[in-house]
Amino acid sequence: MHKNHLNRKWQLFLAAMLVTLTACNSPTATNSNSDTSSPANTINSPENSPTATDNNTNVDASRLISTQGIGDARLGMTYGELKKALDSKTTYEVKSPFMVDFDAIAVNQDGKTLYYITYPSTDTFSDSSKIETITTENPDFLTDKGVGVGKKIKDAETAYGKATLGYHTQNESREYVTFANQPSDISFRPLTPPGKFAGIYKSPLKEYNETDQFKQDTVIKSVSVLSRN
C-alpha cells in the first residue's frame, strides 16, 4: 500500500476517533432499549449515575495519564527522547499489526507493558519520529482523578460525569466511552467480549451509533492520549 495512502488513513483514524469523542460529548445522545435480564445488563439511570466531583488523586508523575502524555511518554517528543528518559532495563517490542493498518511499539519494564506508541504500518518508526498517539492497557497508570484501566465506567462517572458510549462503522466499529467532563484529547475504550458492545444501542443501527445506557459491570480496557496537531 502506498505510503501517502497510509498517511491519509492515519489522518482518518485520528479524525474518526475525534469525531467519536466529539459526538459522544453531544447533548443529543440516543437512549437505547434496555435489557435488565441480568446484573451485567443493568443500565445506568439518573439514580445510579453519579455527578462529577473535583476530588483529585495523588498520582506519581511517572504513572500519570494527562493530555500531555502517559508517564514519561509525552506527545510531540521523539522516540529517541523517550528512550533516553527511561532506564536501561526498558525493552521495546514492535507489535505488527497492532490494529488494522497500524503498528505499535510496546514499551516494557519488568515483564509488563507500560504503554504502546502507535504509528502507520508502512512507516518506519525511528529515533527521530515524533510520538502522536500513546495507548495504555496497564492499570498502574491513572488520571489525576484516579481513572484508568480496570475502573468500572459507572465508578468513573463519579470523577468525570455522565458516560456516553459510541462507535462508528467507518472506524472498525471500535467502541469508545466519553464522559461529560473528561479532559480533552484522552479517549477511553470499554472491555467487551469479541464482537460485543458495552453500550445498549437502539435499533435500527446506523453508521454512527451512541447511547447513554450500558452494562453496569463494564470496565475500562484502554486509555489513549492523542495529538490533534
Side-chain angles (χ1 to χ4, degrees):
M1 187 176 293
H2 196 277
K3 182 175 180 179
N4 287 339
H5 178 64
L6 256 294
N7 286 338
R8 176 59 178 162
K9 288 185 72 66
W10 175 245
Q11 294 170 3
L12 291 174
F13 164 70
L14 294 178
M17 183 182 291
L18 291 172
V19 165
T20 302
L21 296 177
T22 302
C24 283
N25 275 322
S26 168
T28 59
T30 302
N31 291 335
S32 63
N33 295 329
S34 62
D35 177 1
T36 57
S37 58
S38 68
N41 284 336
T42 301
I43 60 173
N44 63 327
S45 67
E47 289 75 20
N48 59 19
S49 292
T51 302
T53 67
D54 293 327
N55 295 329
N56 286 352
T57 302
N58 186 18
V59 181
D60 185 271
S62 65
R63 292 293 182 266
L64 180 65
I65 300 171
S66 73
T67 56
Q68 283 74 50
I70 298 178
D72 293 311
R74 319 299 288 176
L75 296 176
M77 76 186 318
T78 66
Y79 182 38
E81 289 171 337
L82 174 62
K83 290 194 287 187
K84 288 180 181 178
L86 299 173
D87 64 44
S88 59
K89 295 181 180 179
T90 305
T91 62
Y92 306 88
E93 180 184 2
V94 174
K95 297 290 185 178
S96 180
F98 182 67
M99 62 178 70
V100 176
D101 290 328
F102 299 97
D103 294 342
I105 295 174
V107 181
N108 308 309
Q109 286 183 354
D110 300 322
K112 296 181 180 180
T113 298
L114 302 181
Y115 36 73
Y116 300 91
I117 310 300
T118 310
Y119 58 95
S121 58
T122 55
D123 285 4
T124 299
F125 204 77
S126 65
D127 283 355
S128 61
S129 299
K130 288 190 175 182
I131 296 172
E132 295 183 342
T133 304
I134 312 162
T135 297
T136 187
E137 297 178 350
N138 188 322
D140 293 339
F141 292 87
L142 301 170
T143 69
D144 62 358
K145 297 285 190 180
V147 175
V149 173
K151 186 87 166 181
K152 286 187 177 181
I153 293 175
K154 67 177 182 179
D155 294 336
E157 287 184 310
T158 303
Y160 291 130
K162 191 174 183 63
T164 301
L165 287 79
Y167 69 92
H168 201 296
T169 58
Q170 296 302 309
N171 190 26
E172 303 293 329
S173 293
R174 298 185 187 104
E175 189 177 32
Y176 292 89
V177 54
T178 304
F179 301 94
N181 303 307
Q182 72 172 61
S184 62
D185 303 335
I186 295 181
S187 70
F188 301 92
R189 292 200 64 197
L191 178 63
T192 60
K196 303 293 184 180
F197 294 107
I200 304 170
Y201 298 93
K202 185 177 181 180
S203 296
L205 297 177
K206 304 174 183 178
E207 184 175 6
Y208 174 73
N209 302 279
E210 69 175 45
T211 181
D212 59 5
Q213 299 183 11
F214 56 89
K215 298 171 184 176
Q216 290 287 281
D217 62 348
T218 303
V219 301
I220 294 171
K221 171 189 177 182
S222 65
V223 185
S224 297
V225 181
L226 59 152
S227 173
R228 292 178 184 260
N229 297 328

